[in-house]
Amino acid sequence: QVQLVESGGGLVQAGGSLRLSCAASGGAVSRYAMGWFRQAPGKEREFVAAISRSGDTTYAADSVKGRFTVSRDNAKNTVYLQMNRLKPEDTADYYCAADFAIWPSRSIGEYDYWGQGTQVTVSS
């Protein structure tokens, strides 16, 4: 069973950047497709980005496409979410998740393991 820990969240001004990390332990992250999701106060959790087991295939939500990039370093057992040109509407708790599959999924229900989340606040 893999454990996931997110880090890198914080307070940033609109237009700024943050890089979130998701460190895995208890198992090799290379066995999993990985996803990032977010949940803003009073809203449902939503898909942000996902990456295949090998890293060759990535998906991103339309709302972040061109601004956010998901990547992974299987040797470091870590997945990243680079967030550029942040907007106040990106404010949310961000979660990484692992799916025991080759290809990434946009569906929350496909993911087997979740981290505790890291908070991102973007001020205007």
Side-chain angles (χ1 to χ4, degrees):
Q1 182 171 343
V2 66
Q3 290 84 43
L4 305 172
V5 178
E6 303 92 340
S7 61
L11 173 64
V12 63
Q13 288 188 333
S17 298
L18 285 174
R19 188 176 81 156
L20 305 184
S21 298
C22 173
S25 62
V29 74
S30 59
R31 300 177 67 192
Y32 301 89
M34 299 295 293
W36 286 96
F37 294 80
R38 67 186 181 186
Q39 188 166 16
K43 294 188 177 181
E44 293 187 351
R45 193 169 297 189
E46 64 176 6
F47 169 76
V48 176
I51 188 167
S52 62
R53 189 184 292 183
S54 67
D56 289 344
T57 300
T58 62
Y59 298 143
D62 288 343
S63 59
V64 306
K65 202 168 291 183
R67 300 188 297 121
F68 291 12
T69 303
V70 58
S71 62
R72 65 192 300 156
D73 186 337
N74 287 341
K76 294 184 178 180
N77 235 22
T78 303
V79 179
Y80 305 97
L81 184 67
Q82 178 67 43
M83 306 187 296
N84 299 327
R85 303 200 310 274
L86 282 159
K87 303 176 181 180
E89 51 263 44
D90 294 319
T91 295
D93 292 326
Y94 283 72
Y95 300 86
C96 71
D99 177 13
F100 191 61
I102 296 174
W103 305 112
S105 172
R106 296 177 174 88
S107 174
I108 290 175
E110 293 294 320
Y111 288 83
D112 304 296
Y113 303 105
W114 291 81
Q116 293 300 305
T118 185
Q119 188 173 57
V120 172
T121 303
V122 184
S123 63
S124 56

